[in-house]
Amino acid sequence: MRSSFKGYVLYAIVLAVALLILGDTYLIYLNNRVITFNKAQQEKAEKVKVNTSDVMRSLHLLDLAVRSYAFVTDQHYKNAIQIAIADKEAAMQQLESSLRSQNFSMNRFQELKDSIEQYLAVTKVMIDLIDQGDRAEFVKLLEIDPGYKLWLQYL
């Protein structure tokens, strides 16, 4: 009788160890899912950072190209302006897509987008003033520093 009791205890211990291993396996599986989810979130956040940097880089290029065009009035700089605008459009589309995929509230994004469009409108006026040879009006607009408000909004 005593030996059969020891057998049941041994079976109980083996069963307990098997259940603990099974539980541990399940916890490892859950942990792996959480790690995978967090890694995906980090990649999405990194994509937003890159897209935002691309937008700001294209706006810096635009600003530099407009100022250079005013200084030199060379078609090369006018082409750089068009490239900067195209780069900005592509980056904004990617940024918007990234933010939407994360269910980000688009109100602040729309405000930034509107400010960028206002800045683009001012730069187009500045380019027209340069093309018309009205440097005095160009300088007046430049002194207002239309990009400063946009830069503050980015911060």
Side-chain angles (χ1 to χ4, degrees):
M1 176 108 166
R2 200 167 167 95
S3 68
S4 69
F5 177 71
K6 286 183 181 179
Y8 288 124
V9 170
L10 185 59
Y11 284 124
I13 291 172
V14 169
L15 179 63
V17 169
L19 289 174
L20 288 172
I21 290 172
L22 188 62
D24 188 45
T25 303
Y26 179 68
L27 290 175
I28 289 171
Y29 167 75
L30 289 179
N31 189 39
N32 188 39
R33 285 186 54 184
V34 169
I35 289 171
T36 302
F37 174 78
N38 287 341
K39 192 173 185 180
Q41 290 299 101
Q42 287 175 342
E43 288 171 0
K44 287 179 181 179
E46 185 62 30
K47 186 176 179 183
V48 168
K49 282 176 44 179
V50 167
N51 294 150
T52 303
S53 294
D54 288 347
V55 169
M56 295 313 293
R57 183 182 44 77
S58 65
L59 292 174
H60 287 147
L61 175 60
L62 175 64
D63 187 61
L64 184 62
V66 168
R67 291 168 191 256
S68 298
Y69 183 64
F71 188 66
V72 179
T73 318
D74 186 330
Q75 187 63 35
H76 170 75
Y77 295 111
K78 204 166 188 180
N79 292 341
I81 292 167
Q82 298 307 316
I83 290 169
I85 291 171
D87 287 352
K88 188 265 321 165
E89 290 297 327
M92 286 295 287
Q93 287 175 356
Q94 290 175 350
L95 178 59
E96 184 172 6
S97 173
S98 295
L99 291 174
R100 283 191 192 281
S101 74
Q102 295 184 47
N103 298 319
F104 183 79
S105 173
M106 299 305 287
N107 294 337
R108 289 192 60 201
F109 174 78
Q110 193 59 47
E111 289 173 13
L112 178 65
K113 190 175 179 181
D114 291 344
S115 293
I116 289 171
E117 292 305 318
Q118 288 173 353
Y119 177 69
L120 283 176
V122 171
T123 60
K124 287 178 183 175
V125 169
M126 293 171 88
I127 293 165
D128 290 343
L129 290 171
I130 295 164
D131 288 340
Q132 296 167 4
D134 194 349
R135 290 193 184 274
E137 283 299 314
F138 171 83
V139 170
K140 285 181 185 176
L141 272 178
L142 189 61
E143 286 174 344
I144 294 171
D145 198 2
Y148 183 69
K149 177 184 170 192
L150 180 61
W151 181 74
L152 288 177
Q153 195 172 1
Y154 168 72
L155 294 179

